[in-house]
Amino acid sequence: MGIFNFKNNVKEDEKNFQQENLKRLENEFDMTKALGVKKFPEAMQFIYDKERRCFVVVEGPEDTFKSKNPYIIDFDQVEDAYVEVEEFWTEKPGKFEIKAPMQNSLKMGDFDKVFWRYNIIMHFETTHPYAKHIEYQMNYNTIITRVSGLRLISRRGLELNGKFKGEAIKKEAERIAEFAEQQQEAVGKEKMLDIVTGNRSDNILDKMTVDYFEQKFVDRMNNISKHLERAYRICKLLEE
């Protein structure tokens, strides 16, 4: 009987806490900025009040977030913040395809034949009584791409899988941005080489298709870099 009473007390305590949290949201939380993917209404947002040094992580746009009563986290309650990047490959582009074998089983000749997939998730470890671990998925949809099959560059994905903190996040963001820039330059060099050697297709549709997928790859690399840059800004913000 005592165990059940204890559980009921905990639930009642949290309910009271939620009521106080909502009052604080309505009266003592002024949004400084919302960081997240804005074009998807269901995307996760990191919303903070810089003056009061606190934030919430919530699904949905900033103009309605208070109605969802997300827990307010004080900057001082954050014990750790880090980014986890999931990088894997599948043989098909479908969203629900089963994960392929480990990357080291992929042969070099197949690097540009599979679909590389990325999820970027920020984690917060806190001392908050009811939100000790918070996950913030920065990309709304899994980023799926193929490594462009340029003769000038042959590589296996971005080799970005793992956890990163602080300056390591910034370093990876800069590395991916630099790679995207190099890839953009390589696309131009490849086109010039094809023109000189006569290897470029005369079919306008073929040209447009190749150009589209090459540019799409560059755009998605830049997208990954921007997510990492945002994660780094959040980490620096929490340190202020």
Side-chain angles (χ1 to χ4, degrees), residues 155 158 160 171-181 220-222 224-225 228:
R155 61 176 294 140
L158 297 177
L160 189 60
K171 182 178 179 181
E172 291 302 321
E174 291 173 343
R175 180 175 72 87
I176 302 307
E178 182 179 355
F179 172 62
E181 184 177 350
R220 288 178 177 170
M221 294 305 97
N222 281 322
I224 291 173
S225 177
L228 292 173

Side-chain angles (χ1 to χ4, degrees), residues 135-151:
E135 292 187 9
Y136 164 35
Q137 179 153 332
M138 311 194 82
N139 56 302
Y140 178 68
N141 291 318
T142 298
I143 299 170
I144 304 174
T145 188
R146 268 184 155 162
V147 174
S148 182
L150 299 171
R151 293 191 296 271

Side-chain angles (χ1 to χ4, degrees), residues 41-178:
E42 300 85 9
M44 298 292 290
Q45 302 284 336
F46 176 94
I47 303 174
Y48 67 95
D49 181 335
K50 188 172 183 179
E51 183 68 26
R52 295 184 175 89
R53 302 185 71 255
C54 57
F55 70 93
V56 298
V57 175
V58 62
E59 181 183 277
E62 59 264 34
D63 56 344
T64 60
F65 80 94
K66 290 186 178 182
S67 65
K68 297 186 177 180
N69 194 17
Y71 284 132
I72 298 174
I73 312 296
D74 294 315
F75 288 3
D76 293 340
Q77 288 181 303
V78 178
E79 294 186 315
D80 197 9
Y82 60 92
V83 168
E84 178 185 12
V85 182
E86 299 173 340
E87 177 188 65
F88 54 98
W89 57 269
T90 55
E91 295 179 353
K92 297 180 181 180
K95 185 175 181 180
F96 301 105
E97 286 296 327
I98 296 175
K99 193 172 181 178
M102 295 298 292
Q103 290 185 17
N104 56 16
S105 66
L106 186 63
K107 296 179 181 179
M108 182 179 293
D110 296 326
F111 287 175
D112 62 345
K113 297 176 183 177
V114 299
F115 293 86
W116 296 89
R117 309 165 71 96
Y118 299 89
N119 286 313
I120 303 165
I121 304 166
M122 192 158 194
H123 296 263
F124 303 97
E125 304 289 348
T126 82
T127 59
H128 189 282
Y130 301 110
K132 293 186 180 298
H133 181 90
I134 300 172
E135 292 187 9
Y136 164 35
Q137 179 153 332
M138 311 194 82
N139 56 302
Y140 178 68
N141 291 318
T142 298
I143 299 170
I144 304 174
T145 188
R146 268 184 155 162
V147 174
S148 182
L150 299 171
R151 293 191 296 271
L152 299 176
I153 296 179
S154 178
R155 61 176 294 140
R156 182 188 68 187
L158 297 177
E159 299 186 44
L160 189 60
N161 195 61
K163 296 179 180 179
F164 306 92
K165 295 183 181 182
E167 293 297 322
I169 301 174
K170 181 180 180 182
K171 182 178 179 181
E172 291 302 321
E174 291 173 343
R175 180 175 72 87
I176 302 307
E178 182 179 355

